[in-house]
Every structure is written in structure tokens, then in C-alpha cells.
Amino acid sequence: MDEAIKRIKKDFNSQLEIASSSSEIDQIKVRFLGKKGPIQDLMRSLKDVSREERPKVGKMINDLKEELSHSCQHTFDALLHKEEKIKLESQKMDVTLPGRKRFLGRPHPITQIVTDILAIFKEMGFSIQYGPNIESDFYNFESLNFPEDHPARDMQDTFYFSKEMLLRTHTSNIQVRLMEKEDLPIRVACPGKAFRNENISARSHVFFHQIEGVYIDKGVSFGDLLATLKAFFSKIFKREIKMRFRASYFPFVEPGLEADIECLVCSAKGCKICKETGWLEVAGAGMIHPNVLKAGKIDPEEYSGFAWCFGIERLQMLLHNIKDIRLFTENDQRFLSQF
Ligand code: PHE
């Protein structure tokens, strides 16, 4: 019996020694102390032991049983503790680390100013519409009273897809489209891109944004046009703005004009930006030419109207003293994040 007990102990200890996880200890426990284990075998063999010896041998077996289960429990606890520590260790986090900064997106400066401009147009009773970027020669030029040989039609200025189709060179392409589909009176603003085949520089780009305003009704006068322009620019600059109007030529208006505002950079004293004149050109405008009204199936004897348009980049450049138009298309966060 002594021999058997020694062997079991030795066996047990060598297994316990190499166990590396608490679940392995569970298995060892079942193996040695379970119903099919060697200790139960010993218990069963007790019946073959003589009566006198039986209590002594019984106690030896019980002691062994207790010793093994105690060892198991002890090792199990130690391993479990170690395992939990490792697990906790792996979940550890440094609460003193600084947080990760999240960057909030925002509308592009062009989108921002278009939103402001449209709000003013809406307040003045204009609705908003969008014309196509890819346009026919008819809506971009012919219906707008451009003579066949007008230099703006030249390959130098216009991106042509074919003789008939092109990228619109101005948002004025919406004028006759509006006349064809809208009921009178018409009072619409149209923001969008315009494209011109020019050299890219700090002052000009091959594509830029414009907003066109079109107003047609009975009895619309030249005075209405001037008053609308003045009201608009005072609203966008949030103060009374001095304006100056110069006669100018666009085939689709008569009379045509260019509108200047007082130079905001030098308070009209004269600087580099206004070329020492104290004035900045901001818009082209005029009374819609009778030929254009006719192209839009509107009787020029009965109706009159005005149209005007300005470059959005240019306005944003004036508002924020930006010196290079290319900044708007370069996606440089150092520039964009300032708006
Ligand atoms: N379409 C003209 C341009 O892009 C501007 C303009 C619009 C002039 C409406 C008169 C009336 O230069």
C-alpha cells in the first residue's frame, strides 16, 4: 500500500508541476480524485485488507485524498490569479494619455459665400435655379445675341466639345432657358461654375463661380437695376456701400454696365488692389436686350428686365483680402481651415 501511495503522489506531483493553466488543474483533479481515478481504486481495494489493518489503511487513503485535493486547490488558485493578472494587464489603459483630436469638416469658402449670397437673393424675392455646365452654342451665345464672329466664341476662350457643344463660359446661359420655361414675372438667381480657356494665374482661373440674377416683368426699369445692385452689395458687406456704374458692352444687354464698389482694402484712398483708383469692379449688368427677350419668346414691347452677374471668387477675395484665386482649388487645409 505504501508503495502504491508513493507512486500516486509522485505521478500526481510531476503532472502538477508542468500544469500551466487553471483548466489543466481541473483535469488533473478529475484524473486523480475522480471516480475512475487511482484513489477510488485504492478505496475499492480496501475490502481486501484485513479487518485490523483496515482503519489504518483507510486513514492513509483519506489523508492522501485530502493532500491531493488541497494541492490541487492551492495550485489552481495561484494559476487563476496569474491568469487574471495577465488579462487585466492586457486591458490596461493609460488614462493620462491626451485624447485624439477630431477634425470637424466644414463647407468650402465658396459654398459658404454662395449660401450667404443666396440668402440675400431669397430675401429680395428671388427663387434659385441651376443651369447646365455642358451647354449648347445656342444658350451660351446665339440666343444671347452674340454675333457670329464675336471674340468670346473664339477657341481661345471657350472649351468646345464640338461645334455645337461647349462648357458654359458664363451663368448667363440660364437666361433664355428661364424665359422658355418660367411663367412671368421671372425673378431668379442662378449660382454655378463658368469655364474659360485662359492661362491660370493669381487673378484668373479656367473655372470659377458666378451668380446670375434675372428679373423680367412689366415696367422693370434701369433704376430698378441700379437700386437692386446697391441694396445687394450693401447687404453682403453689411454696411452702406458706395457704388459707381460705368457704361460697358455685353451683346445681351442694352444698355450694359459694369458696377464698381468703393475699395474696401484702402477705404477708397487708392491702393495696389484697386490700382490706385479707389474703386473695385464687382459685376456686369444691364437691361436685357430685346433680341434676347425675343429668343425667349417674350414680347419686348410688353416686358422688360435686367440681368446681372458677378464672380464669386472675386467677391470672397475682396471680403477676406485673398491674393490668389488658385487657393480656392488647391485644397490646402491651412487655407481652408481659416473659414
Ligand atoms: N455674363 C457676363 C460675364 O460673364 C456678365 C453679365 C451678366 C453681364 C449679365 C451683363 C448681364 O462677363
Side-chain angles (χ1 to χ4, degrees):
M1 180 57 69
D2 275 350
E3 269 309 304
I5 288 176
K6 255 195 203 150
R7 208 175 349 100
I8 291 170
K9 269 193 191 175
K10 196 174 161 219
D11 233 14
F12 173 82
N13 283 329
S14 67
Q15 289 197 26
L16 204 62
E17 234 168 64
I18 54 168
S20 59
S21 70
S22 54
S23 64
E24 272 175 62
I25 303 294
D26 276 338
Q27 286 164 17
I28 293 172
K29 196 171 169 188
V30 172
R31 205 172 299 139
F32 283 86
L33 297 161
K35 273 187 198 130
K36 292 177 185 158
I39 298 201
Q40 281 303 318
D41 287 346
L42 288 183
M43 285 291 200
R44 263 178 247 116
S45 67
L46 207 57
K47 62 181 186 321
D48 306 327
V49 176
S50 67
R51 227 170 227 276
E52 310 81 71
E53 289 277 289
R54 209 171 285 165
K56 191 181 138 220
V57 175
K59 187 172 180 304
M60 277 166 70
I61 298 172
N62 260 336
D63 286 350
L64 173 68
K65 195 175 164 187
E66 216 157 274
E67 189 188 329
L68 296 199
S69 88
H70 186 262
S71 294
C72 273
Q73 193 57 48
H74 184 76
T75 319
F76 180 89
D77 286 348
L79 282 173
L80 194 67
H81 182 69
K82 208 166 125 193
E83 280 162 9
E84 268 168 7
K85 220 170 132 188
I86 291 170
K87 198 169 149 199
L88 281 178
E89 204 76 38
S90 75
Q91 291 172 349
K92 201 163 98 176
M93 62 173 179
D94 182 354
V95 291
T96 65
L97 274 180
R100 285 203 190 105
K101 202 169 171 188
R102 290 190 185 209
F103 292 98
L104 261 190
R106 68 188 86 200
H108 189 276
I110 293 297
T111 310
Q112 286 184 30
I113 193 171
V114 168
T115 309
D116 294 346
I117 293 167
L118 292 184
I120 296 172
F121 267 115
K122 278 186 201 157
E123 206 181 284
M124 293 168 112
F126 285 73
S127 66
I128 313 301
Q129 300 226 14
Y130 297 87
N133 288 330
I134 296 173
E135 187 54 288
S136 64
D137 181 87
F138 177 75
Y139 288 112
N140 196 81
F141 291 129
E142 197 183 321
S143 66
L144 294 176
N145 201 31
F146 274 83
E148 195 68 54
D149 54 357
H150 194 281
R153 290 189 180 210
D154 201 293
M155 292 296 284
Q156 291 293 307
D157 291 318
T158 309
F159 288 111
Y160 281 95
F161 295 106
S162 64
K163 206 167 163 289
E164 265 309 300
M165 298 303 287
L166 45 88
L167 283 173
R168 67 170 167 192
T169 56
H170 51 184
T171 45
S172 302
N173 69 325
I174 194 140
Q175 290 188 17
V176 172
R177 288 180 173 276
L178 287 175
M179 296 175 206
E180 283 175 347
K181 70 173 196 248
E182 293 289 303
D183 292 331
L184 289 158
I186 293 170
R187 210 185 290 154
V188 175
C190 162
K193 288 189 175 70
F195 306 84
R196 287 185 200 172
N197 196 355
E198 284 174 12
N199 287 332
I200 296 175
S201 72
R203 301 242 118 216
S204 71
H205 209 291
V206 286
F207 88 89
F208 51 94
H209 297 77
Q210 293 186 324
I211 282 199
E212 189 91 1
V214 179
Y215 181 25
I216 305 170
D217 200 353
K218 286 181 178 157
V220 176
S221 71
F222 194 63
D224 295 335
L225 166 59
L226 304 189
T228 307
L229 287 174
K230 193 156 173 7
F232 176 85
F233 282 103
S234 293
K235 281 201 167 136
I236 192 90
F237 290 109
K238 297 193 177 73
R239 68 175 171 87
E240 182 78 18
I241 291 283
K242 269 200 211 110
M243 290 195 79
R244 170 176 91 163
F245 304 105
R246 289 175 287 113
S248 185
Y249 174 73
F250 302 96
F252 40 97
V253 285
E254 181 57 41
L257 64 88
E258 274 171 318
D260 299 339
I261 57 167
E262 56 184 300
C263 180
L264 304 163
V265 181
C266 62
S267 305
K269 286 190 191 74
C271 68
K272 257 201 197 143
I273 307 279
C274 63
K275 298 191 188 102
E276 308 298 334
T277 62
W279 296 101
L280 295 165
E281 184 196 320
V282 285
M287 300 304 289
I288 297 174
H289 196 289
N291 286 350
V292 178
L293 290 172
K294 276 188 216 152
K297 309 268 183 309
I298 292 175
D299 182 358
E301 298 296 329
E302 206 181 339
Y303 285 92
S304 59
F306 62 73
W308 57 292
C309 164
F310 55 88
I312 291 167
E313 278 83 355
R314 183 157 165 75
L315 203 62
Q316 191 64 303
M317 287 166 85
L318 290 178
L319 278 167
H320 294 282
N321 205 359
I322 298 161
K323 302 234 159 47
D324 194 326
I325 194 171
R326 291 170 291 198
L327 287 165
F328 290 110
T329 48
E330 280 168 354
N331 272 342
D332 188 333
Q333 285 301 324
R334 289 169 302 181
F335 172 69
L336 296 176
S337 63
Q338 294 177 49
F339 292 85

